[in-house]
């Protein structure tokens, strides 16, 4: 078990089942006294600077999602990036030593420029996204960062920046390892990757009725136009959820789909009946937390104080190593 871990999410939306299976469940397993779970509101601003009005509300929603999903603020540290100004300051310091070419060839940068078509992302802040992320990780001298595969290029950059700093000045930073989730990419209701930008999510804040409705509207194998058409479970998002929430019966489901022995409607109903007991407790914890928003704020303020104590120590070491200040 790694000693110190850090990870975070951007408060651009409420969290969904993809975030739960892809990240939160993994975080939960690793959670301990030296775990830092951040809400990356500065990172949200890199893409949402012109549609920023929801960020503040989403910060609270994401903390509620974290806790409803099982993180324990008494055990780990849950904090807000912008409440720990050391993140911004270290990012500036690291930006001095980060070659532009490292940022320009970052694959996630190129992907996002293509994907987020409606937004002008040709900004200094967006290019510097991985520098800020490196600051997040290095400030806590994290041993490991639990993330999805899409974050590997950012992790690698953080390691490269740490190495360059340590080499140029003094060994202050630690090179953090990635801890990858075992769950493959979770599909959304339309069969594409589950993502807020595709409006295909099942959210942790969806009521049991909403979840059932979304499941019944999910796309299935398009080859099964009629009940007697044989299907290909491996390309069906409903089947994906069977493999996670209805593991014991997955072979039967696959066989009956391939031989047209089951219809998609009953297949969805069966899947929904296995998904519900998993999501319902989270939904119910969430409902309760929604009525305690002041307590949520306090958790975030307290967590950020705790985080700041560590971050300010590391930043002082880094500034001292460089020789900035008096
Ligand atoms: N870039 C991450 C994402 O989009 C969020 C993030 C910000 C993060 N800072 C981090 C993840 C530090 C891990 C460690 O999911
Ligand atoms: Fe998907 Fe089930 Fe229909 Fe097969 S029977 S296509 S697995 S919903």
């Amino acid at each position: 078990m790694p000693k110190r871990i850090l990870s975070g999410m951007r408060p651009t939306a409420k969290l969904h089942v993809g975030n739960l299976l892809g990240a939160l469940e993994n975080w939960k397993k690793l959670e301990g006294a030296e775990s830092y779970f951040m809400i990356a509101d500065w990172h949200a601003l890199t893409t949402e600077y012109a549609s920023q009005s929801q960020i503040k509300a989403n910060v609270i929603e994401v903390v509620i999602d974290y806790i409803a999903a099982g993180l324990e603020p008494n055990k780990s540290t849950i904090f807000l990036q912008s409440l720990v100004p050391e993140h911004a300051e270290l990012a500036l310091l690291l930006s001095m030593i980060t070659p532009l070419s490292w940022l320009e060839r970052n694959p996630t940068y190129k992907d996002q420029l293509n994907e987020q078509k409606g937004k002008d992302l040709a900004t200094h802040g967006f290019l510097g996204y991985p520098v800020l992320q490196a600051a997040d990780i290095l400030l806590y001298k994290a041993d490991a960062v639990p993330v999805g595969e899409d974050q590997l290029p950012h992790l690698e950059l953080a390691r490269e920046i740490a190495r360059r700093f340590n080499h140029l000045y003094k060994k202050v930073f630690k090179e953090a390892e990635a801890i990858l989730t075992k769950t493959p990419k979770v599909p959304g209701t339309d069969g594409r990757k589950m993502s807020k930008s595709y409006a295909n999510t099942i959210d942790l804040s969806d009521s049991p009725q909403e979840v059932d409705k979304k499941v019944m509207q999910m796309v299935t194998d398009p080859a099964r136009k009629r009940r007697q058409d044989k299907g290909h479970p491996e390309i069906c998002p409903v089947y994906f959820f069977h493999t996670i929430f209805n593991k014991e019966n997955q072979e039967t489901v696959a066989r009956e789909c391939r031989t047209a022995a089951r219809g998609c409607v009953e297949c969805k109903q069966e899947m929904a009946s296995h998904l519900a007991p998993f999501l319902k407790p989270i939904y119910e914890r969430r409902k309760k937390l929604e009525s305690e928003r002041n307590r949520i704020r306090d958790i975030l303020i307290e967590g950020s104080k705790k985080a700041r104590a560590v971050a300010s120590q590391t930043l002082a070491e880094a500034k001292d190593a460089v020789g900035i200040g008096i």
Side-chain angles (χ1 to χ4, degrees):
M1 193 108 147
K3 255 182 46 214
R4 186 171 285 186
I5 63 166
L6 175 132
S7 199
M9 286 192 211
R10 292 160 16 104
T12 50
K14 293 182 186 173
L15 303 186
H16 51 66
V17 174
N19 301 125
L20 183 69
L21 300 176
L24 289 172
E25 290 220 300
N26 207 20
W27 295 8
K28 175 85 202 104
K29 282 193 216 122
L30 299 163
E31 185 180 34
E34 294 208 58
S35 306
Y36 293 83
F37 300 118
M38 183 181 71
I39 318 275
D41 55 347
W42 279 118
H43 276 112
L45 210 55
T46 63
T47 57
E48 310 305 306
Y49 63 87
S51 48
Q52 78 293 8
S53 61
Q54 290 308 302
I55 294 178
K56 204 179 248 192
N58 280 332
V59 166
I60 300 297
E61 296 299 331
V62 172
V63 182
I64 293 178
D65 285 325
Y66 279 5
I67 299 172
L71 297 186
E72 296 173 53
N74 293 328
K75 208 188 234 180
S76 56
T77 305
I78 298 176
F79 73 98
L80 181 60
Q81 189 182 36
S82 68
L83 284 184
V84 184
E86 285 77 5
H87 289 248
E89 196 173 339
L90 183 62
L92 179 64
L93 176 47
L94 298 178
S95 77
M96 306 299 168
I97 67 162
T98 307
L100 212 43
S101 60
W102 292 6
L103 300 176
E104 283 163 348
R105 67 166 179 251
N106 169 21
T108 32
Y109 175 69
K110 295 187 205 160
D111 290 352
Q112 292 284 316
L113 284 186
N114 281 331
E115 254 178 55
Q116 309 241 16
K117 280 268 155 49
K119 292 171 190 157
D120 180 1
L121 295 181
T123 61
H124 180 194
F126 188 64
L127 183 66
Y129 187 111
V131 181
L132 179 58
Q133 185 160 342
D136 299 338
I137 298 165
L138 301 183
L139 274 176
Y140 299 89
K141 301 189 180 179
D143 300 293
V145 183
V147 279
E149 217 169 280
D150 61 314
Q151 293 297 311
L152 282 181
H154 289 159
L155 246 273
E156 194 46 44
L157 264 166
R159 294 160 59 87
E160 280 168 344
I161 293 172
R163 230 175 283 145
R164 187 163 160 86
F165 184 101
N166 291 346
H167 171 76
L168 281 170
Y169 310 110
K170 190 179 161 203
K171 191 171 182 312
V172 173
F173 297 125
K174 193 162 217 163
E175 289 182 42
E177 310 279 343
I179 302 181
L180 289 181
T181 337
K182 292 197 184 61
T183 321
K185 281 227 166 64
V186 179
T189 53
D190 63 356
R192 295 184 287 175
K193 175 185 156 205
M194 190 179 284
S195 162
K196 176 215 153 193
S197 41
Y198 297 146
N200 65 0
T201 61
I202 297 174
D203 296 334
L204 305 187
S205 50
D206 285 340
S207 69
Q209 294 83 322
E210 284 168 295
V211 174
D212 282 346
K213 195 168 145 218
K214 285 183 175 179
V215 170
M216 296 316 289
Q217 289 168 346
M218 272 171 95
V219 302
T220 62
D221 176 4
R224 296 207 67 187
K225 283 199 184 59
R226 286 157 308 194
R227 174 67 182 75
Q228 65 270 32
D229 294 331
K230 294 176 177 160
H232 311 84
E234 62 285 352
I235 61 157
C236 175
V238 179
Y239 181 68
F240 175 93
F241 288 98
H242 275 291
T243 67
I244 306 279
F245 299 105
N246 188 19
K247 266 203 183 70
E248 317 75 64
N249 301 318
Q250 60 173 306
E251 264 102 58
T252 312
V253 175
R255 178 170 20 88
E256 291 181 355
C257 173
R258 285 199 185 96
T259 55
R262 68 164 52 212
C264 291
V265 173
E266 47 178 313
C267 189
K268 286 174 172 178
Q269 280 163 345
E270 182 182 335
M271 189 275 269
S273 75
H274 289 274
L275 179 60
F278 184 81
L279 290 182
K280 205 163 161 239
I282 298 178
Y283 176 75
E284 280 165 2
R285 275 198 294 276
R286 223 190 169 285
K287 275 277 150 228
K288 185 162 178 294
L289 293 164
E290 278 173 18
S291 63
E292 308 171 328
R293 284 176 197 275
N294 283 337
R295 188 165 81 84
I296 301 294
R297 277 175 61 85
D298 289 344
I299 287 172
L300 210 46
I301 292 168
E302 280 313 304
S304 301
K305 273 190 201 148
K306 256 170 80 189
R308 198 166 183 197
V310 177
S312 59
Q313 176 75 37
T314 309
L315 180 66
E317 280 175 49
K319 285 168 78 173
D320 186 57
V322 176
I324 196 106
I326 49 162

